[in-house]
Every structure is written in C-alpha cells, then in structure tokens.
Amino acid sequence: MTVSARQNSEPGHGYDAIMFSYRHAFHAGNHADVIKHLTLLATLRHLMRKDSPLLLVDTHAGAGIYRLDDDAAHTSGEAAAGIARLQSLLTNAKPPSTSAPNPNAKALADYLALIASFNRDGRDGWRVYPGSPLLMHALMAEPARAPVHDRLKLFELHPTDAQALQAHIEQLDAGRQVTMARQDGFDGLKALLPPPPTAGGSRRALVLIDPSYEIKSDYAKVAAAIQDALKRFATGVYLVWYPIIPRPEAHGLPRRLKTLAQQAGRAWLHATLNVGTAPSGTGLSASGMFVVNPPHTLKAALDTALPQVLHALGDGRGRGQTWSVEAGGAG
Ligand code: SAM
C-alpha cells in the first residue's frame, strides 16, 4: 500500500485553531495506540468467531495508515517509544536499554503479527503503522472472514486526514464494504444504529469512539454518544479510548461510562496503561479503554498482554508505571 504524502503536519498548523490542530501522524504507534488497538483487535477477533456479518464503525478514523519514517514520527519520537519497542519482541533485536520477554500473550502476538503484515519488507524497522480503519479492514479481509461480508463505516473531519483516508480506502478496492464520510462522527453514528438485520436476521455492531479530546466538550459528547447508542442498540460492542490526564472531565469519563453501562444492564471492561513519565517529563503517559459489552475473553487476554506491553514500553521511563483491567457483569 502507498501511504499518502501528508501536508500541514506541524502540530498546531490548524485549519481551525480549535477543531483541527490535532494530527494523529505525530502519535501513531505510541503507547495509547498500543492499548487501543490491542483491545480493539482482541475484541474483534472474538466477535469474528461467529459467522454472521458485523457493522464496524470508527467515529474518529484519522488518516488510516501512517509513515513511521517521516518528519511527524521523527519529531515526536512517540512510535520509537511505543510500537518500535514492541517490534523488538518479535525480532529479538532488543533496543539498547530493553530486556523484554517474547510476546507469549496471544493477543499481543496477534496484534504484532498484524502490524508486521503491513511491513513485510521491514526487517530493519517497521516503516508504516496502520490506524484503526486499516486494522479493522485487515481482519475483515482475511480469507477465512472475507465471505462473511462485514461492513466498515468511517468518519473523519480533518480535511487533510479525510483526503488521505479516502485515498487509502480506495487502494483497498473494497467497494461499498468500506465507506467514509467527512462528517462529525458523533452525528454519523446515530444514523447507523441499530444496524439493519442481515439475511440471517442478526444485528451485530462494533463501534470505536476515539476522539482527540482537544475540545473539552468531547468528554461529554462521548458519554452522550454511548447513552444514545445503548438506547438505539443495547447489544452493540462499544469501545472508547480516553487520555488519563489531570483534568476533571478525563477522570470523570470512565466513571460516567460505567454508570451508563450499569444503568443499561450491560457488561463492561475498563483497561488502563501508564508507561511512566517520559525522561523529558512531558507528553501523555497514560490512557484507558472502556468497553461496553466486552467479549468474556477480553479480560484474560489483556491481563496477560498488558504487563508485557508495560515491560517493553516502561523501560527507562519514570514514576507511575502501572496497568489495570477491571470488569463488571451485566446487571
Ligand atoms: N481512530 C484512529 C486510530 O486509532 O488510528 C485515530 C483517530 S485520532 C485519535 C482522532 C481523529 O478524530 C483525528 O484525526 C481528528 O481529526 C478527528 N476528529 C476530531 N473531531 C472529529 C469529529 N467530531 N468527527 C470525526 N472526526 C473527528
């Protein structure tokens, strides 16, 4: 796959000062992407054990795939401190300060094998990192799954990222199975739920909600989106990523989501990863994933994978390193 050239990729070089300064290219493959995509893939793998089609929705899709050798990745160094350290688990070519174990956690091995499949010529370092749209498509398109005909709906507002995403999905040659809109993902989601019944009469959906939280109102919008989605389609699987930062809205979001899941009588899972403060003392060091209606296998998968992720990503970083997985059953 050709990864589109990116323009206007400096942080803060925005079209709109508030809405559009976030560019995922600076963060692709960092620790937050690792917990997010690990959780997403383990969830999707479980849902795909059943042979009935899924509606997959990514409300905040980004550009779809990112270069790890361009200025954005080099400037931030986030992928080098994230996915590049995990790559060493596969190759056993340990980075200088890391004594990491092999990825014997199945979910971690699966995630890394999938990233490796986008980097087949990358023996001396992975060159690209697939975002959530291309990761989900990769699973839909696997030969054993392709005949099921899952559908993927993507939303992305940033003009440059939306254009890059459109170009990347055109290369997939997936026709109407994968579509995108340059539209607000919170609004777009409403029109998609409940999913239409399939020929077999089943309705199944997985929704990833992954905003950049540049705007404080995103926290409330996420909670409102989950509340609304549970009313429209209570059995959908909903995954929310959020940053763990000293801000009341960020602390409050997982608590609010837990309350919403419990009020709807739905099972939930809450996973967090804190890789410790960076030597520079700046940058995001922790984030979480909240899942409504998680597969029953997800807790065990993350309980095994996250300590290994932390072992690799926390090396050489400072205070606060921890991971957690908490889950609650349907009420
Ligand atoms: N989900 C992607 C992944 O895991 O690869 C990363 C998404 S990034 C964290 C968030 C994206 O949401 C940014 O590209 C941003 O431009 C976009 N965005 C911000 N507000 C939006 C909105 N209301 N609707 C759709 N996209 C939005």
Side-chain angles (χ1 to χ4, degrees), residues 80-195:
I83 193 65
R85 285 178 173 219
L86 287 170
Q87 187 198 1
S88 69
L89 300 187
L90 281 187
T91 59
N92 272 338
K94 296 173 186 170
S97 63
T98 301
S99 56
N102 282 323
N104 56 25
K106 207 166 152 252
L108 180 56
D110 187 37
Y111 163 60
L112 294 178
L114 196 56
I115 307 298
S117 72
F118 283 84
N119 288 280
R120 289 199 196 284
D121 58 350
R123 250 173 274 143
D124 49 346
W126 286 342
R127 300 261 163 82
V128 297
Y129 185 81
S132 46
L134 266 73
L135 288 173
M136 288 196 265
H137 175 262
L139 263 56
M140 287 167 57
E142 283 182 352
R145 184 69 192 175
V148 176
H149 280 279
D150 302 307
R151 285 175 306 134
L152 176 58
K153 302 273 184 196
L154 308 165
F155 298 96
E156 172 53 50
L157 265 186
H158 192 291
T160 310
D161 282 357
Q163 200 181 10
L165 180 63
Q166 181 68 50
H168 293 141
I169 64 176
E170 276 166 19
Q171 287 182 60
L172 300 175
D173 215 9
R176 299 293 302 161
Q177 249 188 299
V178 181
T179 55
M180 63 128 342
R182 193 182 149 204
Q183 185 192 344
D184 181 293
F186 295 116
D187 286 345
L189 177 60
K190 289 184 187 165
L192 294 175
L193 297 178

Side-chain angles (χ1 to χ4, degrees), residues 22 24 36-37 59-62 131-132 156-158 183-185 210:
Y22 180 92
H24 196 66
K36 181 204 310 171
H37 295 153
T59 58
H60 296 70
S132 46
E156 172 53 50
L157 265 186
H158 192 291
Q183 185 192 344
D184 181 293
D210 179 27

Side-chain angles (χ1 to χ4, degrees), residues 253-276:
L253 183 59
R255 283 203 295 268
R256 177 87 186 112
L257 295 177
K258 188 170 157 180
T259 303
L260 289 172
Q262 286 170 336
Q263 283 171 349
R266 310 310 309 177
W268 55 273
L269 177 145
H270 180 206
T272 68
L273 177 69
N274 185 336
V275 295

Side-chain angles (χ1 to χ4, degrees), residues 7 9 16 50 52 67 107 116 122 127 133 145-146 160 206 225 229 236 248 255 277 299 301 317 319:
Q7 300 151 15
S9 57
D16 172 287
K50 207 167 156 185
S52 62
R67 294 214 63 96
R127 300 261 163 82
R145 184 69 192 175
T160 310
L206 173 149
R255 283 203 295 268
T277 47
K299 182 169 182 341
R317 294 178 64 113
R319 284 177 300 112

Side-chain angles (χ1 to χ4, degrees), residues 192-207:
L192 294 175
L193 297 178
T198 60
S202 73
R203 297 177 195 265
R204 302 174 76 215
L206 173 149
V207 178

Side-chain angles (χ1 to χ4, degrees), residues 204-226:
R204 302 174 76 215
L206 173 149
V207 178
L208 173 65
I209 304 183
D210 179 27
S212 44
Y213 298 94
E214 274 180 291
I215 317 171
K216 209 167 70 171
S217 57
D218 270 353
Y219 295 94
K221 283 188 182 174
V222 168
I226 291 293

